[in-house]
Amino acid sequence: MNWRLEDRLEAAEARDAPLDFCQWPYERPVAPAPDALRTSALLYKSFALAGVSGRMLEFCDALVARLGRFRTVWGIKWADGRLSWEFYFYDYARMERRFGMGDFIDLARPFFPVTAPALDGVPHFMFSVELDAALIAGQGALDRIDMYMGNPGSAVSSGICYGVSRQGCEMRNFYFFFDARSQMQEVREKLVSNAHLPMRQLELDRLLWPRMKDAQIVVVANKRWNDGLYFSRIGIDPLVHFLERLRFPEGLTGFARESRDRLAHHLFDVGYDHAPGTGRDPVLLKGSIYGLL
């Protein structure tokens, strides 16, 4: 299946659901422009830049047909000079969920093999899968599904990520969500409680970028080999700044920049993984941006 980007750029509608990467609603910063686009425009642009086949589009269409519009969260990942993607499936009904891992495996079967087992007998509220161009091209199999559980007892909203594979269920990440307007002191305390960045080397302003100051939610992630920091509900200009700073492909950054007014009615979610550098600046290992399908 050959495809053209122009055919996949979907016009935004006034009734489109404004939801962030947790599927939580937000108020739009401005009304949609007459030629406004849905956030999926960025996803399809990344597909075009990576040269993926129409099979990836057929997979996305199958998700929308099964789940409905705006029920799948996508993430564009940029690390080591390579684009990849992650798709997230939320259902806060947990054990009463309507779409579980087993359902996903059935849906994915025509597109790529999945060797990871379905673990639907536990009360996860979300699971996700990571794809790249090779998998869509028929090389390899999806061998892990990430599963997200609640964390009762935490003083803030938080979640625990486990990787589900044939080898078992492996703990991978902890996520902690903070209100950026009222809990920035807690964000700073959480960042300082860090096993990966030496205390005397840690300068918080080099992690909490000034251009992200209007984020409504900040998420601190404790991971196995490094930590992560996410800024939720930012405008189009901070999104472009993020793409520039993480050195995403200029084709994607330029598209976001040129489409500024057509995307300005959205709030975006972004995040990066970081590790110690040789100086004061952390090394930015991976960047991610998110939207809805």
Side-chain angles (χ1 to χ4, degrees):
M1 170 187 171
N2 295 322
W3 66 282
R4 299 189 315 151
L5 176 63
E6 294 77 11
D7 297 333
R8 303 297 298 200
L9 298 182
E10 299 171 329
E13 299 180 8
R15 62 182 179 178
D16 288 354
L19 302 170
D20 64 17
F21 68 167
C22 289
Q23 292 274 285
W24 297 337
Y26 64 80
E27 292 186 13
R28 293 202 183 280
V30 296
D35 59 347
L37 294 171
R38 290 173 171 163
T39 60
S40 58
L42 295 167
L43 178 66
Y44 293 128
K45 179 64 177 180
S46 74
F47 290 165
L49 291 170
V52 298
S53 72
R55 196 167 184 80
M56 179 69 100
L57 279 73
E58 293 172 353
F59 170 70
C60 291
D61 290 343
L63 290 175
V64 173
R66 175 66 171 80
L67 296 171
R69 185 70 66 180
F70 312 125
R71 299 306 303 168
T72 301
V73 175
W74 54 258
I76 303 171
K77 313 288 180 167
W78 176 247
D80 299 323
R82 188 173 65 92
L83 286 167
S84 61
W85 303 272
E86 191 161 1
F87 294 87
Y88 304 79
F89 308 98
Y90 284 84
D91 196 329
Y92 290 108
R94 292 176 168 81
M95 294 303 293
E96 303 302 320
R97 68 182 70 89
R98 294 179 296 171
F99 184 77
M101 295 183 196
D103 299 309
F104 172 82
I105 292 171
D106 289 341
L107 181 147
R109 189 169 289 115
F111 303 101
F112 47 82
V114 181
T115 61
L119 190 58
D120 285 323
V122 297
H124 60 77
F125 64 84
M126 187 259 281
F127 67 93
S128 68
V129 296
E130 296 185 34
L131 311 181
D132 60 17
L135 183 65
I136 288 295
Q139 303 170 27
L142 181 68
D143 59 4
R144 191 188 79 237
I145 298 176
D146 286 341
M147 174 182 70
Y148 298 76
M149 307 283 291
N151 189 21
S154 174
V156 297
S157 178
S158 68
I160 308 171
C161 173
Y162 295 87
V164 180
S165 69
R166 284 180 172 176
Q167 286 68 48
C169 188
E170 173 194 27
M171 184 180 292
R172 294 177 58 81
N173 309 323
F174 281 87
Y175 295 89
F176 299 87
F177 291 71
F178 299 90
D179 185 307
R181 292 181 173 87
S182 63
Q183 294 182 301
M184 282 308 297
Q185 181 58 33
E186 288 89 338
V187 170
R188 292 175 176 273
E189 291 173 0
K190 184 62 180 170
L191 288 172
V192 168
S193 301
N194 188 315
H196 298 302
L197 287 178
M199 175 68 75
R200 298 186 185 279
Q201 187 176 330
L202 186 61
E203 293 188 15
L204 295 184
D205 288 343
R206 296 176 187 262
L207 295 174
L208 295 167
W209 305 339
R211 292 291 295 274
M212 299 293 122
K213 64 180 178 60
D214 292 330
Q216 296 181 20
I217 298 171
V218 175
V219 184
V220 180
N222 299 129
K223 305 186 178 185
R224 293 170 303 166
W225 311 118
N226 55 264
D227 282 351
L229 187 60
Y230 300 78
F231 303 95
S232 179
R233 303 183 186 180
I234 63 172
I236 181 62
D237 293 330
L239 172 70
V240 171
H241 174 74
F242 180 87
L243 292 168
E244 292 171 343
R245 189 151 181 175
L246 269 294
R247 299 181 180 177
F248 272 74
E250 176 55 29
L252 184 62
T253 304
F255 178 78
R257 192 184 299 116
E258 294 161 8
S259 305
R260 180 197 181 280
D261 293 343
R262 304 178 73 185
L263 294 169
H265 63 292
H266 299 293
L267 293 180
F268 297 90
D269 310 291
V270 301
Y272 67 86
D273 285 8
H274 57 84
T278 56
R280 293 291 185 180
D281 289 316
V283 176
L284 306 182
L285 302 172
K286 179 177 72 173
S288 306
I289 68 171
Y290 302 88
L292 301 178
L293 189 61

